[in-house]
């Protein structure tokens, strides 16, 4: 079971209830799994069942849920839990895209998405969320650049396209 919260500093933090973990003190403490600077004040979170995807035949694919958020500036976005294999591949893609692509206004996306707080923050920032806006820029690159990035991460071009298509199919509610 997880709890997703947002704070006044425009961060989103995911806590998990794991009573078997040693650091949870027998289930009396929630464990911080990830944090992410969203850059928007989140007004609400809501959970919606994912749409079935033609690619995803994995067991449990029909019982997956998206966590949508609505921000105070009118934006909608979502968080989608990924299988470990897909997460690792997209994380490698994200890391290469940070160094390979030019950044908007010269701003580093990795530095922007790091947790920001105005007071004491107990714990190190933990990364566990893929920056979708950065990963989707992969589709805007030329075919040569895409193949070069795929070679750097040791993946096939079609595998990355299939994963991005699968995410699009699971989240196409509007």
């Amino acid at each position: 079971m997880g709890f997703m919260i947002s704070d006044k500093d425009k961060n989103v933090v995911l806590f998990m209830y794991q009573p078997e973990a040693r650091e949870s003190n027998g289930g009396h403490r929630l464990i911080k799994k990830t944090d992410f600077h969203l850059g928007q004040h989140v007004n609400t979170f809501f959970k919606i069942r994912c749409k079935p995807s033609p690619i995803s035949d994995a067991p449990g694919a029909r019982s997956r849920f998206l966590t949508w958020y609505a921000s105070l500036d009118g934006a909608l976005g979502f968080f989608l839990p990924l299988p470990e294999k897909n997460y690792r591949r997209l994380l490698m893609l994200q890391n290469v895209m940070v160094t390979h692509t030019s950044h908007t206004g010269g701003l580093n996306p990795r530095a922007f998405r790091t947790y920001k707080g105005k007071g004491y923050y107990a714990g190190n920032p933990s990364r566990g969320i893929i920056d979708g806006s950065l990963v989707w820029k992969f589709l805007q690159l030329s075919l040569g650049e895409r193949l070069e990035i795929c070679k750097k991460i040791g993946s096939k071009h079609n595998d990355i396209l299939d994963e991005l298509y699968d995410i699009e199919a699971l989240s196409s509610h509007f």
Side-chain angles (χ1 to χ4, degrees), residues 125-142:
S126 61
R127 305 191 199 299
I129 297 178
I130 302 294
D131 186 357
S133 61
L134 180 62
V135 170
W136 282 97
K137 287 183 182 178
F138 177 77
L139 299 176
Q140 298 171 357
L141 300 174
S142 68

Side-chain angles (χ1 to χ4, degrees), residues 112-133:
F112 177 72
R113 297 299 185 190
T114 302
Y115 182 90
K116 294 170 181 51
K118 291 187 175 123
Y120 175 73
Y121 176 60
N124 296 326
S126 61
R127 305 191 199 299
I129 297 178
I130 302 294
D131 186 357
S133 61

Side-chain angles (χ1 to χ4, degrees), residues 3-168:
F3 299 92
M4 189 166 281
I5 63 162
S6 64
D7 62 12
K8 66 179 179 167
D9 296 324
K10 304 177 183 177
N11 299 308
V12 174
V13 183
L14 176 68
F15 291 99
M16 298 293 288
Y17 175 70
Q18 295 177 326
E20 69 280 352
R22 186 172 53 112
E23 57 268 10
S24 75
N25 195 16
H28 293 289
R29 287 189 174 164
L30 296 174
I31 299 172
K32 182 186 75 158
K33 285 300 190 180
T34 186
D35 50 36
F36 190 77
H37 180 71
L38 195 59
Q40 304 173 53
H41 288 288
V42 174
N43 189 28
T44 187
F45 290 103
F46 52 97
K47 189 168 90 167
I48 297 177
R49 185 180 305 276
C50 291
K51 289 200 165 200
S53 171
I55 294 177
S56 185
D57 328 352
R62 295 193 184 277
S63 63
R64 290 175 66 183
F65 286 87
L66 289 164
T67 301
W68 283 86
Y69 67 86
S71 70
L72 291 178
D73 62 359
L76 286 175
F78 64 89
F79 295 95
L80 172 69
L82 294 173
E84 186 70 22
K85 178 182 160 191
N86 298 6
Y87 169 77
R88 293 288 176 202
R89 184 177 291 139
L90 291 177
L91 181 64
M92 288 188 297
L93 175 63
Q94 173 181 299
N95 291 337
V96 170
M97 292 286 290
V98 165
T99 59
H100 183 77
T101 61
S102 59
H103 308 306
T104 305
L107 301 172
N108 187 333
R110 184 178 292 145
F112 177 72
R113 297 299 185 190
T114 302
Y115 182 90
K116 294 170 181 51
K118 291 187 175 123
Y120 175 73
Y121 176 60
N124 296 326
S126 61
R127 305 191 199 299
I129 297 178
I130 302 294
D131 186 357
S133 61
L134 180 62
V135 170
W136 282 97
K137 287 183 182 178
F138 177 77
L139 299 176
Q140 298 171 357
L141 300 174
S142 68
L143 181 61
E145 288 176 316
R146 284 193 234 169
L147 293 174
E148 180 183 334
I149 288 174
C150 291
K151 186 178 179 183
K152 284 183 182 179
I153 65 174
S155 182
K156 295 180 183 174
H157 184 251
N158 287 339
D159 291 343
I160 292 175
L161 291 179
D162 286 345
E163 285 181 24
L164 293 175
Y165 174 73
D166 192 29
I167 291 170
E168 177 68 24

